[in-house]
Amino acid sequence: MKKILCISLAALFSSSVAFAQTVDNNAYKAAKDRAESDYKAAKDRCKELKGNAEDVCKEEAKVAQARAELDATTQHHNTAKDVEKSRRKLADAEYELAKERCDDMSGSTKSACKNDAKSAHKTALASVNNPATSTTAAIAQDARQTGSNMADTAREKTADTRVAMSDTMITTKVKAEMAADPLVKAMDVHVETQKGIVMLSGFVPSKAEADKAVELARKVEGVQEVKSSIQVKK
């Protein structure tokens, strides 16, 4: 009886592993093709912007593509090696986006922003090999934790630095709120703060998401006004 039970459990385990590592090449290719098509369309829309806003927009498009490819890999091609590769690509894309956003700043604020981006990138890469964070839901949790860590780091600065970085802290808090909200895809929305005025831009799939992003930004402490130029994808 024990031998039969062991064989049954072994068979069940093997079946579970086989199910966990599904491969559907046709669905995977179709999903990747959609991600590439959406990326090209988003990149073309960035031409409507100017200066660093255009650069940020392009990096946002790359992040969206990397996230879509990770979703495709997780759903249709989720071998451990492929999922890890996709997660690394997303982490790198998010890092490039974070650095690009720092270019809107200057002096110590810009340096702090880049240091935060680098730290967040290291954290993201460290989580790649953690099985508990191998799903897209866990990635959202990583984003929320990153936002929290960045806010905590900012609060630990000296009094003078905190005053100089108040806008950066507001931006960080707004991003964290968006990352924690199930409706808003934080990486679709670019957040910039100047003298307490939060400016939102980027492309989102629905008006509901655009409205929610504005609502979340208004609730953040220190925000004086919210200006939104978020566009709904057509």
Side-chain angles (χ1 to χ4, degrees):
M1 178 63 71
K2 290 182 178 179
K3 183 176 181 180
I4 293 174
L5 179 59
C6 290
I7 294 174
S8 298
L9 290 174
L12 179 61
F13 176 75
S14 297
S15 174
S16 298
V17 171
F19 177 78
Q21 294 190 343
T22 57
V23 175
D24 186 339
N25 289 326
N26 291 332
Y28 176 65
K29 184 178 184 304
K32 282 203 68 175
D33 288 344
R34 284 195 299 272
E36 176 68 20
S37 177
D38 289 345
Y39 165 68
K40 290 180 179 178
K43 186 178 179 182
D44 286 341
R45 288 193 291 268
C46 292
K47 295 177 182 178
E48 301 172 6
L49 304 174
K50 295 181 180 180
N52 194 53
E54 181 179 0
D55 295 336
V56 168
C57 180
K58 289 178 180 179
E59 295 301 333
E60 288 174 337
K62 290 180 182 178
V63 167
Q65 180 188 24
R67 189 176 297 281
E69 289 181 355
L70 175 57
D71 288 343
T73 302
T74 303
Q75 294 177 34
H76 308 299
H77 213 267
N78 66 338
T79 62
K81 182 178 179 180
D82 289 333
V83 171
E84 178 180 333
K85 181 178 179 180
S86 294
R87 292 191 66 196
R88 285 185 179 278
K89 182 175 180 179
L90 176 58
D92 290 342
E94 290 176 335
Y95 179 43
E96 292 302 319
L97 172 59
K99 288 194 297 182
E100 196 64 56
R101 285 174 171 167
C102 293
D103 285 346
D104 285 328
M105 306 172 188
S106 61
S108 61
T109 302
K110 183 174 182 178
S111 297
C113 178
K114 291 200 171 185
N115 287 336
D116 286 339
K118 186 175 182 179
S119 177
H121 184 229
K122 287 183 177 179
T123 300
L125 291 180
S127 72
V128 167
N129 294 321
N130 184 350
T133 58
S134 59
T135 65
T136 51
I139 291 173
Q141 177 62 35
D142 288 345
R144 289 193 291 271
Q145 186 61 47
T146 297
S148 176
N149 289 342
M150 291 173 69
D152 290 342
T153 299
R155 282 193 292 269
E156 292 171 358
K157 304 294 182 179
T158 61
D160 289 341
T161 303
R162 283 200 298 269
V163 171
M165 291 183 62
S166 58
D167 285 341
T168 301
M169 291 174 65
I170 289 175
T171 297
T172 298
K173 290 177 182 178
V174 171
K175 290 178 182 177
E177 289 295 325
M178 291 182 183
D181 190 274
L183 178 63
V184 180
K185 294 181 179 179
M187 292 306 169
D188 288 347
V189 182
H190 171 54
V191 183
E192 182 180 352
T193 307
Q194 293 183 2
K195 296 182 179 179
I197 300 175
V198 175
M199 291 164 282
L200 306 178
S201 61
F203 297 90
V204 297
S206 67
K207 185 176 184 299
E209 184 174 333
D211 292 342
K212 186 64 174 180
V214 173
E215 178 185 342
L216 291 171
R218 284 174 176 163
K219 291 181 179 179
V220 172
E221 182 180 358
V223 173
Q224 303 298 319
E225 182 182 354
V226 177
K227 295 182 179 180
S228 175
S229 59
I230 298 175
Q231 300 182 44
V232 177
K233 297 177 183 176
K234 298 180 180 179

